[in-house]
Amino acid sequence: MAASAMVEAAEKNWRMATPWSGGPWLERDAQMFADRVNELSDGEIAIEVYPGGTLGSALKVTNTVKSGVAEVSHNYINYDYGTDPTTALLAGHSSGLTPEEFMMWMYEGGGVELYEEYRRDVFDVVAFPCAILGTEIFLHSNKRVETLEDFQGLRLRTSGAWSELASRLGASTVVMAGGDIYSALERGVIDAAEWGSPEMNQPTGFQEVAQYVIIPGVHQSGGFLECQVNEDTWSELSEDEQDMLRLAGKLSVFETWLASSFADLDAYQALLDGPNEIVHLDQAFIDTIYEETVKWEDEYAADNEWFARVVESQRSFKDTMSVWPEYRLSIGSMGR
């Protein structure tokens, strides 16, 4: 059924605010959640997806939902980092958790319950994961970055916790919406940018205006996007409808994981086959990033109760996961 027909047939018509100007996050992932909600509600709830900036600031989607301008959103919680750094732990940061590990912590390790409780307590919106973030490209850059020394003074577009951590490691950081990155790279306003995984970056054209592709994405090895619901809208729903929305989010996480992970393969191969130079970060630089991340976590956990609760849960999970390599083969260790 076409989107316009679904809206006409539905009992509840919701607007979805997003930060996305286009690409898979808008056209696949946000729409996927909207479609799942319509299907699971038997057509009673229809969600119209709006691109970033049409229902409010692209970087303040939480405010748009909280105020009721939009009933629901598809969002990146890290855009609220300035209000509370705990958001970075729930979005994914330089912690080393892969998408698979992050999903296990979220759905089996208590993460999803912490997520919803935290969003309601601190931001007055109902929120839950509804898309996965794959391992990102570390940088699309016009300067070759391999070591910590190369990172000094780099004019870097980023957001959230990595903005602070990158600054502590010597970069000069700036936060800007995704739609502004291409021109900023092209005009030399910034030297480098991080945005997403190979699939997410491909349609942006960053590889056309930045010579170097720098990997691995140690700053964001995995994470989540969220869907938020206005509290008044949520309170008008039955318990079954509320559970249905959570289920739609969980299904969308799984489906986006499959779609994005598979699409990343072709997108990364295109980078390998293209004119860009692929640069691998020096292991000493990677180790320094992880060391600085632990210091950063300890500092915020000391006086932020929510931060301490989430980081303690994640660290406990990582301790549990430490045995994984003992009985699981990596692709590189298997014969061909």
Side-chain angles (χ1 to χ4, degrees), residues 126-143:
V126 179
F128 41 82
C130 62
I132 199 71
L133 290 169
T135 301
E136 295 187 356
I137 299 293
F138 184 70
L139 292 175
H140 286 272
S141 179
N142 280 309
K143 291 189 176 180

Side-chain angles (χ1 to χ4, degrees), residues 167-294:
S167 295
R168 290 167 62 150
L169 291 164
S172 175
T173 61
V174 60
V175 177
M176 64 176 65
D180 298 327
I181 297 174
Y182 182 96
S183 62
L185 276 172
E186 186 179 37
R187 293 184 289 114
V189 174
I190 56 175
D191 300 316
E194 62 84 11
W195 177 246
S197 66
E199 178 218 10
M200 293 297 174
N201 288 358
Q202 190 175 47
T204 66
F206 298 157
Q207 68 279 5
E208 300 168 4
V209 291
Q211 178 182 356
Y212 300 102
V213 176
I214 299 164
I215 56 174
V218 62
H219 68 295
Q220 182 84 20
S221 49
F224 286 93
L225 299 176
E226 66 176 0
C227 286
Q228 304 168 307
V229 183
N230 172 271
E231 280 206 319
D232 289 339
T233 301
W234 183 263
S235 66
E236 294 170 358
L237 300 173
S238 69
E239 186 174 336
D240 285 345
E241 288 174 320
Q242 293 171 353
D243 287 342
M244 177 274 297
L245 288 172
R246 295 186 183 102
L247 177 59
K250 189 173 184 179
L251 286 171
S252 296
V253 166
F254 176 64
E255 291 176 308
T256 58
W257 174 71
L258 290 175
S260 63
S261 297
F262 191 71
D264 275 343
L265 298 174
D266 282 343
Y268 184 64
Q269 188 62 50
L271 291 173
L272 291 175
D273 295 339
N276 300 96
E277 180 179 348
I278 309 294
V279 178
H280 294 260
L281 292 176
D282 183 77
Q283 185 60 48
F285 185 17
I286 293 174
D287 293 342
T288 299
I289 290 172
Y290 284 139
E291 290 165 6
E292 193 64 37
T293 300
V294 172

Side-chain angles (χ1 to χ4, degrees), residues 1 5 7 20 30 50 87 121 126 131 147 168 170 183 189 206 220 224 238 271 295-296 327 329 331:
M1 183 183 295
V7 169
W20 325 125
Y50 288 83
T87 57
D121 183 45
V126 179
T147 66
R168 290 167 62 150
S183 62
V189 174
F206 298 157
Q220 182 84 20
F224 286 93
S238 69
L271 291 173
K295 293 177 186 177
W296 171 84
Y327 65 92
L329 291 172
I331 293 176

Side-chain angles (χ1 to χ4, degrees), residues 5-23:
M6 288 193 297
V7 169
E8 291 177 5
E11 292 184 6
K12 299 179 178 71
N13 296 302
W14 291 352
R15 292 157 295 185
M16 173 183 276
T18 78
W20 325 125
S21 59

